[in-house]
Amino acid sequence: MTHIRGSISTFTSGRRVLAAALTAVTALALTACGTEQSDGGGKAGSAGSSTASQQPQPEQAAAQALFDTFEKACPGPGANSRRPTGATKPDTAVPEIIAPGETPPADPIEPAPPTGPEAELDDRDSCLSAHHEQRVIAALQMLADPTPATVRKTLNGLGYTDERIHHLKQDGKKTRFHLDLREDGGGRLCASGVAAGAVSDVVPCVAVAEGPFKVTSETRP
């Protein structure tokens, strides 16, 4: 067998040079990649924190301004002129005109007491509800195709944020929904609505005073 007697230092040194070159290239690539990741992550985090701390919320501001306007135009909480106070007495006077053959009633006729939301909401709630109902009904009557999506968009445009819109669902060609109209720190007012074009309607309802939104009394339109 023929042996090649020569130094392998030439080959060894060549491999070492190649290995060193590959190592340098790899290091540069990793460094560049790390820099891009670091910069990208830093910028995203900075932008995210800045957005979270400085992001304006026009919808929230519009909704609060809307509620403030209505609250100033309505009486204070607690007053209710529709509830009997006990100071008034029923009218016992006999009608002036009685049809022939009829006998005047022996007992006075008293008006039926209010029931449902009308019995539970005070004058302030009724006033606030009237303001909300008027503007919502007017907007819903303009919808040619009252789907849940278009109804939500319309309510958002009026200043009612998604947090105040509940139970939005299709009911045939109509869309039903509830609005949480409770004031911060109190109140039980809500609204039950149906979007149905020209015959859209919104009526008051009663919700729990605190906690997640839940209707306790309503007369659906």
Side-chain angles (χ1 to χ4, degrees):
M1 178 180 294
T2 303
H3 295 278
I4 299 175
R5 298 180 180 275
S7 174
I8 62 173
S9 59
T10 303
F11 299 97
T12 302
S13 60
R15 290 172 182 170
R16 288 176 180 173
V17 170
L18 179 61
L22 290 174
T23 301
V25 171
T26 303
L28 288 174
L30 291 175
T31 302
C33 181
T35 302
E36 290 178 359
Q37 291 180 351
S38 176
D39 290 345
K43 291 179 181 178
S46 176
S49 61
S50 176
T51 301
S53 61
Q54 301 179 8
Q55 177 71 27
Q57 298 179 343
E59 296 85 359
Q60 295 286 352
Q64 187 58 52
L66 174 70
F67 276 67
D68 290 344
T69 300
F70 291 168
E71 290 169 9
K72 293 177 182 178
C74 293
N80 195 340
S81 59
R82 294 164 295 146
R83 292 177 183 168
T85 60
T88 60
K89 296 181 180 180
D91 186 6
T92 58
V94 179
E96 296 181 359
I97 301 176
I98 301 176
E102 291 186 359
T103 304
D107 297 325
I109 300 177
E110 299 182 13
T115 58
E118 185 181 357
E120 299 183 51
L121 300 174
D122 58 21
D123 287 349
R124 178 179 180 79
D125 291 330
S126 298
C127 176
L128 291 171
S129 180
H131 283 291
H132 288 287
E133 293 166 22
Q134 182 179 9
R135 64 197 305 271
V136 173
I137 292 174
L140 295 179
Q141 288 177 336
M142 302 298 292
L143 289 179
D145 185 21
T147 64
T150 58
V151 170
R152 181 182 295 278
K153 183 177 180 180
T154 299
L155 295 175
N156 288 157
L158 293 174
Y160 303 100
T161 58
D162 288 341
E163 291 78 9
R164 291 190 176 273
I165 304 173
H166 299 272
H167 312 152
L168 187 68
K169 62 180 181 179
Q170 191 86 33
D171 182 9
K173 295 183 179 181
K174 304 174 291 186
T175 293
R176 295 188 176 275
F177 61 93
H178 286 95
L179 283 178
D180 182 0
L181 302 178
R182 295 176 295 177
E183 303 175 75
D184 293 337
R188 301 178 61 195
L189 178 63
C190 63
S192 177
V194 56
V199 294
S200 298
D201 197 11
V202 179
V203 297
C205 61
V206 183
V208 294
E210 298 179 352
F213 178 77
K214 180 180 179 181
V215 178
T216 61
S217 177
E218 70 173 321
T219 302
R220 301 195 72 180

